[in-house]
Amino acid sequence: MEKRILGLDPGLASLGYGAISCHVVPGKKEENTVSLIDCGVIKTTPKQEMGQRLKTIYDDLHEVIEQIKPDLAIAEKLFFYKMGNTILVAQARGVLTLVLAQCGVPLFEFTPAQIKKALTGRGNADKSEVQEAVARELELGYIPKPDDAADALAVALTGWYDDDICPKKIPLETVQI
């Protein structure tokens, strides 16, 4: 069984995306695999008018979803640290949420600490530890660039690790005695 997960790292200047393919073999945990489909960023510039920046995110995210055809999306929950930046990220996040709803892609969210803990075992891990974990888990041999794309892959992997979002056990009703 294959599940495609689209990870999203919301931002106005740079919205990171990372898509993974998860293969689950019921009853054979050692055969479960995850692999990279694609990653990148949707960029806008401060020189653009705000409406145009949001339209770029809207159009480009539609294109990413059309190409990847994800079963679900995972986004990093909005983190409040600088009020001005938070408002800009919230606007981009609103567009992201709209596009996913229009495309019928369910959205799940994790906090930055949950993502760090899922990948490194520690909720306060630094960025380099998370990026190294992404490269290791996807067997890449390199750290994906730019950072926003690597962060989006970390978000997607967090969805893969969550058994509620991506079940890896055999449902009891399918077990034959």
Side-chain angles (χ1 to χ4, degrees), residues 67-113:
Q67 290 175 1
I68 293 170
K69 297 178 180 24
D71 297 299
L72 59 103
I74 314 287
E76 184 175 277
K77 274 189 181 174
L78 200 52
F79 180 72
F80 297 93
Y81 57 97
K82 292 181 190 171
M83 189 48 128
N85 189 44
T86 301
I87 291 169
L88 297 176
V89 173
Q91 289 176 309
R93 188 173 171 67
V95 171
L96 174 156
T97 304
L98 172 63
V99 170
L100 292 170
Q102 286 177 329
C103 295
V105 178
L107 174 63
F108 299 88
E109 299 176 303
F110 290 102
T111 66

Side-chain angles (χ1 to χ4, degrees), residues 21-89:
S21 175
C22 309
H23 296 277
V24 177
V25 181
K28 298 183 180 182
K29 183 178 178 182
E30 64 282 351
E31 292 184 30
N32 293 344
T33 61
V34 62
S35 59
L36 174 68
I37 296 173
D38 190 19
C39 67
V41 294
I42 296 171
K43 289 200 165 284
T44 69
T45 67
K47 294 177 184 175
Q48 293 175 294
E49 183 269 325
M50 178 57 77
Q52 186 57 47
R53 293 178 83 179
L54 296 173
K55 184 180 181 314
T56 297
I57 292 170
Y58 178 90
D59 292 340
D60 289 1
L61 188 54
H62 266 287
E63 189 174 314
V64 166
I65 290 170
E66 186 175 310
Q67 290 175 1
I68 293 170
K69 297 178 180 24
D71 297 299
L72 59 103
I74 314 287
E76 184 175 277
K77 274 189 181 174
L78 200 52
F79 180 72
F80 297 93
Y81 57 97
K82 292 181 190 171
M83 189 48 128
N85 189 44
T86 301
I87 291 169
L88 297 176
V89 173

